[in-house]
Structure formats: C-alpha cells, structure tokens
C-alpha cells in the first residue's frame, strides 16, 4: 500500500486515505445560501476517491463574506440550504465532509473573480463596509476598513461558535478555522495588518489572542466527535510580517489545546508579497511545523503528481496532501494516483465498469 492511499487520523476522525480536497470558493451562493451549483460541484468531488472533502470558506456572519456570492452559515436559512445540498451528496457518497469557517475581514465586499475581484463600495447593493483589526485597507487605494472594537471582536468569536454548532447539526465531521490568506484571523496575527495597541495588538501573544479565542470557543461549541483544526499562512512573504517562526509558536500552542490538525499554506495578506513559486513550494513550511510537534499536518500548494505527493509523505514532511485547483481540473486525480502508485480506490458501483484495461485492480469493491 502507498502512503498516500493509507488511512490517517485527525483526532476523532479517521480518513480512508491522505488525499484532502482543500476548500475552494465557488462564488455561487445567494444571500449566503447554497444553491444547485453546490449540489453539482460537491456531488462531483464526493465521487473523486479522496479521503476528505472540505467545503469552501463559509462566512460566520454576512459581513464576513469575501463577496456577496459567498457561502454562509449564520442563520436558519443558510443552514437549511446547506442541509439540502449535503443530504443529496450523502445519499450517494460516504466521503467524510468538513467545512472551513472564516471571516474575510478587510478583504470583504469584492466582486467575483470573473467580474474583476475589485472592492465594491459600501453603498452598492452588493457591498458593505469591511472590518479589520486596524483601519488599514488591503489595497492602498481602497477605503479604510472599520476598526473592530473589543465588544465587536467578542461578537465575532460568538459567531464562529454558533456557526460551528450549526455545522455539527448538519452532520459535518470536521471544522477548519480559516486563519490564512489574509483574512480576518490572519489579519490579527500579522504585524503588517494589526497595528492595535490594546490586548489584541503588539506582541505575539496579543496578536494570536483572537485565533486562540476562536479555537477555544469552537472546540467548546461542538462535541468531542468533531475534529477541529486550523488553516494558517506560514509566511506573509514580506519582510517584517508573519513568518514561520511565529507560525511554529502558534502551532505548538494550538497543539497544547488539543487542535486536531494544521493545514499549512502561505501568503495572501499583503500585496507586496514576493512568493517563490515552484512545485511543492509550501511543503518546507509544513515540514518545519511537523518536525516541532505531534499534531497532524496537511501540506498544500502545487502538489500535482502522485509520486511527488507520495515522496512528501514518505519523507515525513506532512501527514496528508491537499489538492485545490488540481482536483478541479482533474476530479478523478485520486483514481489516477492509485493507478500510478500501484494501489486501489473504492469507486461508486456505478463506475466499476470504467476501470481501464491498463490499470486492472485499481478499483476495489466493499
């Protein structure tokens, strides 16, 4: 058996293999509510053979959406819409399903990528005033976001906890907190975006405070049977910003509090970032964190080939491999990986007849 197709455990949740479908925004919700697009999209991915499907960044309050078309989980209507989608997906797939809960902070109120992705004015029907740790916009030419008060911060912590409770009611088995890619929790972590002088700004213990409060609140809001982890940007790729040393510190604190996994990405906070992109360019960050502790680590970022993914695992640089754009392009990537590595996957019985002659044995039945 390959490492890639072997089981892995994130706290209370054991996955059949180490291929994780990373959260990918679809910009196809209506007032935060999942639509038929989500049924088609998630239904397709749920037949891929991956070990885990994590739903896209899901806002814990309306102003926490990246765009007006983002998925949300903040009231009964958004919960009911997502429940309808998940019931259909689960009718035909046993794949474990997770959700990424997040808040866009100052990167909110933008148009969809195919419509330009620029910030929408607060007085537009599809816009609102973004919030942030400090009144510093993501793009220099944008209006300053609203600086959150401590009372408003407490409200956001409560919103994360409430959304987590809704996720458990929906039967979701894993919750990933989005502290990466320049969104609100990342904005509090980085000294480039957090210029506060109160208990949420300044030294690292203050800047990590919101993430820890959100983690603790979510962990307390759901039962022990739900895996809870964090996605984090390990570096801002900007001098004087968030870096791997600070990430390692936060990782060890999260581990000490029972965090079930860390999903290691990078960047997204500052438009001055200079990223050295290449195959597996973020894997060294995952490897550095894995070397420090025992918490399972997910590696992500330009991991495109089965042999590459297998090597990362065999060299103990990570415990699981996340795919994003690559699995959108090739939704049967796990099948092809199993064939390339001489292993097998369990497809839906409706697909058993498509097993290629040159890859006999890649499909198994249960």
């Amino acid at each position: 058996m390959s490492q890639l197709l072997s089981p892995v455990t994130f706290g209370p949740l054991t996955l059949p293999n180490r291929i994780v479908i990373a959260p990918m925004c679809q910009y196809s919700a209506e007032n935060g509510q999942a639509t038929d697009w989500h049924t088609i999209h998630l239904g397709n991915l749920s037949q891929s053979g991956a070990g885990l499907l994590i739903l896209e960044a899901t806002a814990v309050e309306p102003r926490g959406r990246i765009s007006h078309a983002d998925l949300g989980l903040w009231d009964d209507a958004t919960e009911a819409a997502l429940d309808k989608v998940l019931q259909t997906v689960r009718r035909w797939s046993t794949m474990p399903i997770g959700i990424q809960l997040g808040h866009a902070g100052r990167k909110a109120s933008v148009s969809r990528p195919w419509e330009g992705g620029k910030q929408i004015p607060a007085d537009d029907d599809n816009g609102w005033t973004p919030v942030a740790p400090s009144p510093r916009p993501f793009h220099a030419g944008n209006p300053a976001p609203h600086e959150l008060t401590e009372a408003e911060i407490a409200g956001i912590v409560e919103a994360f906890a409430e959304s987590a409770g809704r996720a458990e009611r929906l039967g979701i088995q894993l919750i990933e907190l989005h502290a990466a890619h320049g969104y609100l929790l990342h904005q509090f972590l980085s000294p480039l975006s957090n210029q506060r002088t109160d208990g949420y700004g300044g030294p690292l213990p203050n800047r990590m405070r919101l993430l820890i409060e959100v983690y603790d609140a979510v962990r307390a809001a759901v039962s022990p049977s739900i895996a809870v982890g964090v996605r984090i940007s390990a570096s801002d790729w900007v001098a004087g910003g968030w870096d791997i040393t600070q990430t390692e510190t936060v990782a060890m604190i999260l581990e000490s509090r029972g965090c079930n996994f860390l999903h290691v990405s990078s960047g997204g906070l500052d438009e001055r970032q200079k990223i050295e992109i290449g195959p597996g360019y973020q894997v060294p960050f995952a490897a550095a964190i894995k070397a420090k502790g025992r918490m399972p680590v997910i590696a992500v970022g330009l991991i495109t080939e089965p042999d590459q993914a297998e090597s990362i695992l065999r060299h103990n640089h990570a415990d699981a491999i996340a795919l994003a754009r690559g699995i959108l392009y090739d939704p049967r990537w796990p099948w092809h990986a199993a064939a390339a590595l001489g292993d097998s996957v369990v497809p839906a019985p409706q697909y058993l007849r498509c097993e290629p002659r040159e890859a006999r044995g890649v499909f198994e039945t249960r």
Side-chain angles (χ1 to χ4, degrees), residues 16-52:
N17 64 61
R18 297 167 188 257
I19 304 171
V20 173
I21 300 176
M24 292 173 281
C25 290
Q26 295 299 294
Y27 306 100
S28 300
E30 297 174 357
N31 298 316
Q33 298 171 33
T35 64
D36 288 346
W37 173 260
H38 293 92
T39 304
I40 294 169
H41 168 67
L42 297 173
N44 180 33
L45 293 179
S46 74
Q47 298 298 334
S48 67
L52 173 67

Side-chain angles (χ1 to χ4, degrees), residues 78-135:
T78 52
E79 182 179 340
L82 188 54
D83 185 41
K84 179 182 177 183
V85 170
L86 293 178
Q87 285 191 39
T88 300
V89 172
R90 290 196 184 101
R91 182 182 177 191
W92 302 105
S93 173
T94 61
M95 182 180 291
I97 296 177
I99 191 168
Q100 185 185 72
L101 297 180
H103 193 297
R106 70 180 188 177
K107 293 182 76 174
S109 187
V110 300
S111 61
R112 293 180 290 191
W114 56 86
E115 295 169 340
K118 294 183 178 179
Q119 191 162 56
I120 296 175
D123 59 0
D124 188 279
D125 288 344
N126 289 326
W128 58 92
T129 300
V131 300
S134 303

Side-chain angles (χ1 to χ4, degrees), residues 340-363:
L341 297 172
D343 213 319
S344 60
V345 292
V346 181
Q350 293 92 333
Y351 291 153
L352 285 170
R353 289 183 299 164
C354 76
E355 183 183 62
R357 292 181 180 273
E358 64 273 16
R360 290 299 186 212
V362 72
F363 285 170

Side-chain angles (χ1 to χ4, degrees), residues 171-218:
I172 286 169
Q173 297 154 277
L174 174 146
I175 294 172
E176 178 177 279
L177 303 176
H178 199 357
H181 303 162
Y183 298 120
L184 187 66
L185 298 182
H186 185 182
Q187 290 162 28
F188 270 84
L189 290 173
S190 177
L192 299 177
S193 49
N194 184 346
Q195 302 292 308
R196 300 176 73 95
T197 57
D198 62 4
Y200 287 95
L204 178 58
N206 290 3
R207 286 184 280 115
M208 72 170 70
R209 178 180 168 188
L210 178 57
L211 172 57
I212 301 303
E213 287 182 348
V214 167
Y215 172 81
D216 286 348
V218 167

